[in-house]
């Protein structure tokens, strides 16, 4: 059904099927990340919700769609930033609209990139990879999920170039990605990599408002 749905929209897809969470984890670790993962809530051993939590804890950015026969699990999907859900008894009638929404989301994700260009290199960074950016001398340092890179550019200019509601200045010298915030305690932000960043008094109220607004619109 998925293959027919995507092909009907002119999109080629390669679908891999796993019969339990462990098989997926063992194989996926050796492969490039998938664009979309359809996770059954009920699976042998680890269930779909538990697998999704492990994926997010490992900074997995895959689009997650849950398959479920039970509507009570739907709300729980917000905890792992699930994109959508597909109820098994209505899959035939729902899958066409879901595929269209997924293609639109992939188009949006594909455009969320930042290009670092110097005299010696050109590098494309996905917005989702950027945890935070900080100032060091004349450079802006990008802290990514697996490394750090830098660009000789003012932090304000980087923020303007990003041109995305996902990023916000929280203190002089620090820009953070709202997607990587785990919690805000007092005037301190804990990020997905465990880093704690202080929030300036002038920025704390704006940060809380932006977080709530962004999370309500996207998750």
């Amino acid at each position: 059904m998925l293959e027919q749905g995507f092909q009907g929209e002119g999109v080629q897809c390669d679908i891999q099927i796993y019969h339990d969470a462990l098989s997926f984890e063992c194989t996926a670790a050796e492969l490039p990340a998938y664009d979309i993962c359809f996770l059954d809530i009920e699976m042998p051993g680890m269930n779909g919700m538990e697998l999704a939590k492990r994926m997010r804890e490992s900074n997995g950015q895959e689009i997650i769609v849950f398959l479920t026969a039970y509507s009570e699990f739907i709300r729980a999907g917000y905890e792992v930033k699930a994109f959508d859900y597909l109820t098994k008894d209505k899959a035939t009638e729902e899958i066409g609209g879901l595929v269209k929404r997924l293609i639109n989301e992939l188009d949006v994700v594909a455009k969320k990139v930042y290009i670092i260009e110097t005299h010696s290199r050109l590098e494309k960074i996905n917005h989702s990879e950027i945890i935070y950016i900080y100032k060091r001398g004349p450079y802006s340092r990008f802290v990514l999920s697996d490394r750090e890179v830098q660009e000789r550019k003012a932090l304000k200019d980087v923020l303007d170039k990003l041109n995305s509601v996902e990023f916000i200045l929280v203190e002089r010298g620090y820009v953070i990605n709202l997607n990587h915030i785990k919690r805000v305690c007092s005037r301190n932000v804990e990020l997905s990599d465990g880093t704690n960043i202080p929030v300036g008094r002038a920025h704390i109220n704006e940060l809380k408002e932006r977080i709530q607004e962004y999370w309500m619109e996207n998750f």
Side-chain angles (χ1 to χ4, degrees), residues 82-211:
F83 175 77
D84 212 334
Y85 61 90
L86 193 62
T87 49
K88 295 178 182 178
D89 59 339
K90 297 180 180 178
T92 303
E93 57 194 82
E94 291 180 351
I95 202 161
L98 174 60
V99 165
K100 285 183 171 65
R101 293 194 299 277
L102 286 167
I103 291 171
N104 288 336
E105 180 67 11
L106 288 169
D107 286 342
V108 169
V109 171
K111 294 173 184 175
K112 292 182 178 180
V113 296
Y114 186 94
I115 307 296
I116 292 180
E117 185 174 2
T118 70
H119 68 280
S120 60
R121 86 182 200 280
L122 190 67
E123 183 171 1
K124 180 178 72 173
I125 301 170
N126 293 324
H127 284 191
S128 60
E129 292 182 83
I130 304 171
I131 300 174
Y132 67 98
I133 310 161
Y134 66 96
K135 187 70 174 170
R136 176 178 286 178
Y139 294 94
S140 289
R141 297 277 300 178
F142 294 73
V143 179
L144 312 180
S145 50
D146 60 349
R147 65 192 190 284
E148 286 194 25
V149 296
Q150 67 181 20
E151 182 178 33
R152 193 181 180 92
K153 189 183 288 288
L155 204 57
K156 181 183 180 303
D157 294 335
V158 169
L159 193 57
D160 290 341
K161 186 177 173 182
L162 283 164
N163 190 29
S164 172
V165 295
E166 297 172 346
F167 296 91
I168 182 172
L169 182 73
V170 295
E171 178 60 287
R172 185 177 180 182
Y174 286 95
V175 168
I176 63 173
N177 186 338
L178 296 177
N179 286 304
H180 284 281
I181 292 177
K182 288 184 66 175
R183 63 179 61 88
V184 179
C185 297
S186 186
R187 285 170 50 201
N188 215 51
V189 175
E190 183 182 349
L191 301 175
S192 60
D193 66 344
T195 300
N196 285 277
I197 293 178
V199 182
R201 187 183 300 274
H203 298 284
I204 187 63
N205 290 333
E206 181 190 2
L207 174 63
K208 289 179 178 178
E209 290 174 6
R210 287 275 299 276
I211 289 173

